[in-house]
Amino acid sequence: MRFTIRSKLLVGFLSVSLFVTAVNINAYYYNDRLNQSFDNLIDKRVDVLNKATEIQHLSMQQTNNLRGYLLTQEQVFLDDLQAANQLLQDLVDQVEAMDIEPELKQPFEELVEADQAFMDETNLLLTNLEKNHDQAAALASFKSDVLPIGQKIGPLATEFAGIQRKVLDRDRSDNTHMVDFVNQMTALLTGVTFLLTLLIGLFLSQRITSNLLRITRVITGITNDSRNTTKLPSIEVRSQDEIGDIARSFNEMVRTLEKYSVLEQEQRWLENNVGEMAVKFQGVHNLEMLAQLFITTVTPLVDATYGVFYLKQGSSHRPELRKIASYAAQQDGIGVDSFLFGEGLVGQAALENRTILQSSSGPALRAQYEER
């Protein structure tokens, strides 16, 4: 898969952007949830605290209304007492319906029991007063039976409200710690994002610059060592981006130059040696001497161990090759005096009119036939 430099940069910085976006979204999401949860919690705690304060106030109010009714026998005090009792009962029912903290349940149950006891004693007192019409006895019963319970309701309501305030303060402290934790995590993720961006940038720059330095080093080595023309170095770059394209194009250019270099060396070799042989062969008119001089000159030039020069003789129906010159030739199968066409390696090369190179075992043998 081709992965260009532009694609690498886009993918790298897009990854960082997505990571930063995800961090910000998560931070906003959790902060929003935290704020909503804390707002709901505070609203519930404040509601319970307000109801506890109202219970405390109503407990004092119903005690005063009962005392006023017993002293004055006025109906307004009795109506206010009944209204306060009803409001107090409604508040108790509302608090019971709420999901209050475990540490608030016992004080609240004690408050409910005290209020119920106060209501029972109040109803009993009012019933006896209505039946006997004995105000002095009613006042005495109020002081001995009802007033202690009413005085107990106030401290219980105060204790309940105090515990609720402590719970509210604790929740505020927990929320503060949670906000600090979210802020710390946001700062940590921001730092991680910065480091990730830095690492991605360093990685991309290292990948790009290392390949560029490798190419530059090879090219600089060629320019500084221009005398070394035997073999040009190649660049090993495995990346599939534009730098890899440059390296592959350079390697292809090197292979092309090497081919041209080989062709140029062969052409130079031919020009030099053919020129020398042309000068050397001037004035030689004897065929055997010319053949001997040619085979003696050519065999060392082509790095051959031995060589034989054959001349085609005989009729067209039975042509044969007869040796007229040799270079380090032997008689045991190599350099024999004559070959029929198709006989031996030399005869087969003459029959097919082509060059045959045999190098599977032993020294390399080369048989070449040219029709003249």
Side-chain angles (χ1 to χ4, degrees), residues 140-209:
S141 177
F142 170 76
K143 292 180 181 179
S144 62
D145 298 331
V146 180
L147 183 60
I149 299 176
Q151 292 175 343
K152 183 180 178 181
I153 293 176
L156 287 175
T158 302
E159 180 184 1
F160 180 76
I163 295 175
Q164 181 60 35
R165 289 190 182 92
K166 291 181 180 179
V167 171
L168 183 61
D169 294 337
R170 185 192 64 193
D171 292 339
R172 286 173 177 168
S173 177
D174 293 342
N175 181 77
T176 301
H177 291 314
M178 182 60 67
V179 170
D180 293 338
F181 173 75
V182 172
N183 291 334
Q184 291 175 2
M185 290 301 298
T186 303
L188 177 62
L189 291 176
T190 302
V192 170
T193 303
F194 173 77
L195 291 177
L196 181 62
T197 306
L198 184 62
L199 290 176
I200 290 177
L202 291 176
F203 174 76
L204 291 177
S205 62
Q206 194 273 336
R207 288 293 301 271
I208 295 172
T209 55

Side-chain angles (χ1 to χ4, degrees), residues 221-232 265:
I222 294 175
T223 57
N224 292 337
D225 190 13
S226 58
R227 295 173 298 177
N228 185 14
T229 58
T230 56
K231 183 175 179 58
L232 296 175
Q265 291 178 4

Side-chain angles (χ1 to χ4, degrees), residues 271-317:
E271 291 176 355
N272 294 336
N273 292 286
V274 170
E276 293 179 1
M277 286 188 292
V279 173
K280 185 183 295 185
F281 297 160
Q282 287 181 356
V284 180
H285 302 288
N286 184 278
L287 181 59
E288 293 184 356
M289 292 180 59
L290 181 61
Q292 186 63 47
L293 184 60
F294 175 81
I295 199 67
T296 304
T297 304
V298 170
T299 303
L301 288 177
V302 297
D303 296 328
T305 306
Y306 38 76
V308 183
F309 194 102
Y310 289 92
L311 182 65
K312 179 181 177 182
Q313 295 180 350
S315 63
S316 59
H317 299 288

Side-chain angles (χ1 to χ4, degrees), residues 90-104:
D90 292 341
L91 290 174
V92 169
D93 293 340
Q94 292 175 11
V95 174
E96 284 182 342
M98 294 181 177
D99 186 16
I100 61 176
E101 297 295 325
E103 57 263 37
L104 292 173

Side-chain angles (χ1 to χ4, degrees), residues 12-292:
F13 288 106
L14 181 61
S15 301
V16 173
S17 300
L18 291 176
F19 185 76
V20 171
T21 303
V23 170
N24 292 330
I25 290 176
N26 285 330
Y28 174 79
Y29 172 74
Y30 285 110
N31 278 322
D32 184 65
R33 283 191 58 187
L34 185 62
N35 290 330
Q36 290 181 359
S37 176
F38 180 70
D39 290 341
N40 295 332
L41 183 64
I42 291 299
D43 292 340
K44 185 176 72 172
R45 297 287 186 265
V46 170
D47 191 21
V48 174
L49 182 60
N50 291 334
K51 286 179 171 52
T53 304
E54 291 182 17
I55 290 173
Q56 183 181 7
H57 174 72
L58 290 173
S59 65
M60 295 176 61
Q61 184 178 349
Q62 68 181 357
T63 302
N64 293 331
N65 289 330
L66 180 59
R67 183 188 291 111
Y69 176 72
L70 293 177
L71 291 175
T72 63
Q73 298 292 311
E74 293 182 2
Q75 185 64 32
V76 64
F77 287 106
L78 183 59
D79 293 339
D80 291 342
L81 174 62
Q82 293 175 352
N85 289 337
Q86 184 61 43
L87 289 176
L88 185 60
Q89 186 61 41
D90 292 341
L91 290 174
V92 169
D93 293 340
Q94 292 175 11
V95 174
E96 284 182 342
M98 294 181 177
D99 186 16
I100 61 176
E101 297 295 325
E103 57 263 37
L104 292 173
K105 289 184 178 180
Q106 183 177 355
F108 180 71
E109 291 175 356
E110 294 177 358
L111 179 62
V112 171
E113 291 176 359
D115 180 66
Q116 186 64 42
F118 181 84
M119 293 294 296
D120 293 341
E121 291 295 333
T122 299
N123 292 330
L124 180 61
L125 176 63
L126 293 176
T127 301
N128 292 332
L129 178 61
E130 184 179 357
K131 183 186 297 184
N132 300 327
H133 301 284
D134 189 353
Q135 185 177 7
L139 288 172
S141 177
F142 170 76
K143 292 180 181 179
S144 62
D145 298 331
V146 180
L147 183 60
I149 299 176
Q151 292 175 343
K152 183 180 178 181
I153 293 176
L156 287 175
T158 302
E159 180 184 1
F160 180 76
I163 295 175
Q164 181 60 35
R165 289 190 182 92
K166 291 181 180 179
V167 171
L168 183 61
D169 294 337
R170 185 192 64 193
D171 292 339
R172 286 173 177 168
S173 177
D174 293 342
N175 181 77
T176 301
H177 291 314
M178 182 60 67
V179 170
D180 293 338
F181 173 75
V182 172
N183 291 334
Q184 291 175 2
M185 290 301 298
T186 303
L188 177 62
L189 291 176
T190 302
V192 170
T193 303
F194 173 77
L195 291 177
L196 181 62
T197 306
L198 184 62
L199 290 176
I200 290 177
L202 291 176
F203 174 76
L204 291 177
S205 62
Q206 194 273 336
R207 288 293 301 271
I208 295 172
T209 55
S210 62
N211 291 331
L212 287 176
L213 287 175
R214 190 176 294 115
I215 294 174
T216 305
R217 194 180 301 115
V218 173
I219 296 176
T220 304
I222 294 175
T223 57
N224 292 337
D225 190 13
S226 58
R227 295 173 298 177
N228 185 14
T229 58
T230 56
K231 183 175 179 58
L232 296 175
S234 60
I235 302 174
E236 295 182 1
V237 176
R238 298 180 180 178
S239 61
Q240 300 298 321
D241 51 17
E242 292 84 351
I243 298 178
D245 293 340
I246 295 174
R248 284 184 286 273
S249 299
F250 179 84
N251 293 335
E252 185 65 27
M253 181 189 69
V254 167
R255 287 190 290 269
T256 303
L257 290 176
E258 288 178 348
K259 293 179 181 178
Y260 282 117
S261 177
V262 172
L263 293 175
E264 183 181 359
Q265 291 178 4
E266 292 178 352
Q267 183 67 27
R268 192 182 305 116
W269 184 87
L270 288 174
E271 291 176 355
N272 294 336
N273 292 286
V274 170
E276 293 179 1
M277 286 188 292
V279 173
K280 185 183 295 185
F281 297 160
Q282 287 181 356
V284 180
H285 302 288
N286 184 278
L287 181 59
E288 293 184 356
M289 292 180 59
L290 181 61
Q292 186 63 47

